[in-house]
Amino acid sequence: MIEYFKYTLSNGLRVVVHTDKTTPMVAVNLLYDVGARDEAPDKTGFAHLFEHLMFGGTRNIPSYDTPVQNVGGENNAWTSNDFTNYYVTLPATNLETAFWLEADRMNELDFSEKSLEVQRKVVIEEFKQRYLNQPYGDIPLLIRDLAYKVHPYKWPTIGKDIKHIEQATLEDVKEFFYRHYAPNNAVLSVSGNVQPQEAFRLAEKWFGSLKPRQIQERKLPLEPVQTEARHLTVERDVPAPMIHMVFHNGSRTDQDFYANDLLSDILSNGPSARLFQSLIKEQRLFSDVNAYIAGDRDPGLFTVTGRLMPEVSMENAENAILRELNILANEGPGDYELQKVKNKIESNLVFGEIHYLNKAMNLAQFELLGDAEEINREPEHYRAVTVGDVKTVAQKVFAPENCSTLYYLPKK
């Protein structure tokens, strides 16, 4: 059970604080309610670009990293389709430095052509290294475009076309910042050796004077129900063929998220899981196989992927996967099998709460999703899932018409 305290500033910034006296450190985590799904189809990759621009300095503080390092701290950030997250870890005695830095760059960046050009080059190089010049790197680009027709999950966080970043203007960047970066569009979470009232005082001191901004209501297109199976075959310079299958499923806040999560673990969490035992150990069709869910805020994807052994045809590999999915959908898991993955998840939840940074990030995400208290309800949600729940979810998700399949073949 994580004890926390909440406070909301007059400008709309939500503050969540957890005290952990077992560490001399503290984590300050700022989660913005903006991700790749908030981008225009012709200007993708902006949320991720901003993850980099936010470290480019402001008019008051030319270098973000230098003050952090001077007080013995570390910082980083990540972007998803739903969120952009920034965090600082530092000795608790230097806590105020993090508040000062985060408030300053929330207010305004040092927008300049030079800063934009520097970060543009970094992002373009990352795009090339991770997606274009790496074996199997373009799978996220291909599979999302195959599975989604209208929803902005159609492109990955990096963007769908490198040209969108190459052609980004300073005005484009400013408009994106002022539309999304604001106290009333963020959650500030603090975890570590800090008292709640001290964190609230610092939040008022440094963030209280920032003005809220006009945040437009999010109106994303609803992805229509998929009514027929989709297939795509590509050839690339890779050593072995891969199959990538995705099925539409629910969102992170749906009640059946927990059954979906357990379903993916039954299939592929560890060497005793079904896909490993059947497809790798017994039938020797794959060198590796995996299943996982996205956990997105909007309805996301249930993914099953595998790398084929030599001489195994793609059709045989696909049929073997489908057989395993159908068996689970028709028969459901065994009681022991389900309890085993529940125990694993609960253990991971407990160990995940040990580190103060994990608690800061998780508290922020649950608060932004609706209620920080959900962090303490997670174990009971998983415990409540029954064999029948998993079977029902499997039948719904693994419907043949709900599947999009990518054949990723080596060049002949």
Side-chain angles (χ1 to χ4, degrees):
M1 181 71 70
I2 298 178
E3 184 181 40
Y4 61 89
F5 298 87
K6 296 199 296 186
Y7 178 73
T8 303
L9 276 60
S10 60
N11 58 18
L13 179 66
R14 286 171 279 175
V15 186
V16 187
V17 183
H18 165 71
T19 301
D20 182 353
K21 294 184 178 180
T22 65
T23 175
M25 305 292 287
V26 66
V28 176
N29 191 90
L30 196 55
L31 182 65
Y32 287 93
D33 191 2
V34 56
R37 68 175 182 156
D38 296 298
E39 299 161 348
D42 60 341
K43 293 179 180 179
T44 65
F46 273 62
H48 177 250
L49 175 62
F50 251 95
E51 177 196 321
H52 291 264
L53 286 170
M54 287 287 277
F55 292 96
T58 68
R59 294 178 182 177
N60 300 321
I61 308 170
S63 170
Y64 179 91
D65 290 337
T66 301
V68 174
Q69 294 166 358
N70 287 343
V71 296
E74 297 180 348
N75 66 86
N76 213 328
W78 51 263
T79 312
S80 73
N81 286 79
D82 299 317
F83 308 117
T84 309
N85 191 78
Y86 303 87
Y87 63 86
V88 185
T89 58
L90 70 175
T93 53
N94 298 321
L95 172 63
E96 190 163 4
T97 299
F99 278 78
W100 162 57
L101 289 168
E102 291 297 345
D104 183 67
R105 67 178 179 177
M106 177 186 282
N107 183 48
E108 187 177 24
L109 299 181
D110 182 17
F111 293 108
S112 67
E113 293 289 354
K114 179 181 178 181
S115 176
L116 174 58
E117 191 57 33
V118 168
Q119 300 306 328
R120 188 206 315 271
K121 289 180 179 178
V122 172
V123 172
I124 289 173
E125 187 60 28
E126 182 180 343
F127 195 115
K128 291 178 179 178
Q129 287 186 0
R130 291 179 57 190
Y131 292 86
L132 303 183
N133 299 333
Q134 181 172 295
Y136 312 102
D138 63 343
I139 286 179
L141 300 170
L142 297 168
I143 201 67
R144 283 181 175 274
D145 191 57
L146 182 64
Y148 290 102
K149 297 307 173 187
V150 299
H151 193 279
Y153 285 163
K154 187 177 173 66
W155 54 84
T157 303
I158 198 76
K160 69 177 181 179
D161 193 329
I162 199 170
K163 291 179 181 178
H164 295 171
I165 298 301
E166 291 174 340
Q167 298 169 0
T169 68
L170 197 58
E171 288 306 310
D172 291 335
V173 166
K174 287 182 179 180
E175 193 272 337
F176 192 86
F177 177 83
Y178 291 116
R179 183 153 46 95
H180 299 291
Y181 279 75
N184 51 318
N185 202 41
V187 172
L188 175 68
S189 60
V190 185
S191 176
N193 202 336
V194 58
Q195 292 300 319
Q197 291 307 316
E198 175 63 8
F200 297 152
R201 182 187 72 81
L202 291 174
E204 282 285 7
K205 177 180 178 180
W206 291 105
F207 291 90
S209 62
L210 302 184
K211 302 295 184 184
R213 294 185 174 123
Q214 187 67 40
I215 306 299
Q216 297 180 359
E217 182 183 356
R218 187 178 278 116
K219 295 181 180 179
L220 302 180
L222 295 176
E223 183 68 23
V225 175
Q226 185 170 328
T227 56
E228 60 181 5
R230 300 166 186 163
H231 282 82
L232 174 66
T233 301
V234 299
E235 291 186 358
R236 296 289 189 268
D237 188 13
V238 293
M242 282 193 70
I243 185 170
H244 206 91
M245 307 170 71
V246 293
F247 303 82
H248 290 279
N249 69 350
S251 71
R252 178 62 180 83
T253 54
D254 286 350
Q255 188 58 41
D256 63 4
F257 164 82
Y258 303 96
N260 264 297
D261 198 18
L262 291 165
L263 175 60
S264 68
D265 281 3
I266 289 167
L267 286 169
S268 77
N269 189 348
S272 64
R274 289 194 175 206
L275 296 184
F276 184 94
Q277 285 292 313
S278 176
L279 304 183
I280 295 179
K281 189 175 179 180
E282 296 172 8
Q283 301 182 57
R284 300 184 183 276
L285 298 174
F286 294 87
S287 60
D288 64 70
V289 65
N290 201 4
Y292 54 89
I293 62 173
D296 294 321
R297 291 179 74 182
D298 291 335
L301 298 175
F302 191 115
T303 298
V304 181
T305 183
R307 187 172 305 174
L308 281 63
M309 292 291 286
E311 309 305 323
V312 175
S313 73
M314 192 63 76
E315 291 75 14
N316 286 343
E318 180 180 7
N319 289 333
I321 290 175
L322 291 175
R323 277 196 300 271
E324 294 301 320
L325 302 185
N326 288 333
I327 289 172
L328 189 51
N330 293 328
E331 301 176 2
D335 292 328
Y336 173 79
E337 187 179 26
L338 178 58
Q339 190 59 50
K340 182 175 65 174
V341 294
K342 284 184 180 182
N343 294 343
K344 270 190 178 181
I345 284 182
E346 190 161 353
S347 174
N348 290 337
L349 290 174
V350 171
F351 282 110
E353 292 177 0
I354 292 175
H355 200 278
Y356 61 98
L357 175 57
N358 288 346
K359 286 183 279 192
M361 286 196 288
N362 290 336
L363 281 167
Q365 287 187 55
F366 279 111
E367 180 63 21
L368 199 54
L369 287 171
D371 185 4
E373 183 57 26
E374 282 298 314
I375 197 171
N376 292 321
R377 299 187 188 121
E378 285 275 273
E380 63 187 71
H381 288 321
Y382 282 108
R383 291 187 203 118
V385 175
T386 67
V387 168
D389 293 333
V390 175
K391 182 178 177 180
T392 299
V393 164
Q395 291 173 348
K396 176 182 175 183
V397 173
F398 297 144
E401 67 275 9
N402 191 39
C403 183
S404 297
T405 303
L406 171 66
Y407 286 2
Y408 202 93
L409 305 175
K411 287 184 177 179
K412 297 177 182 178

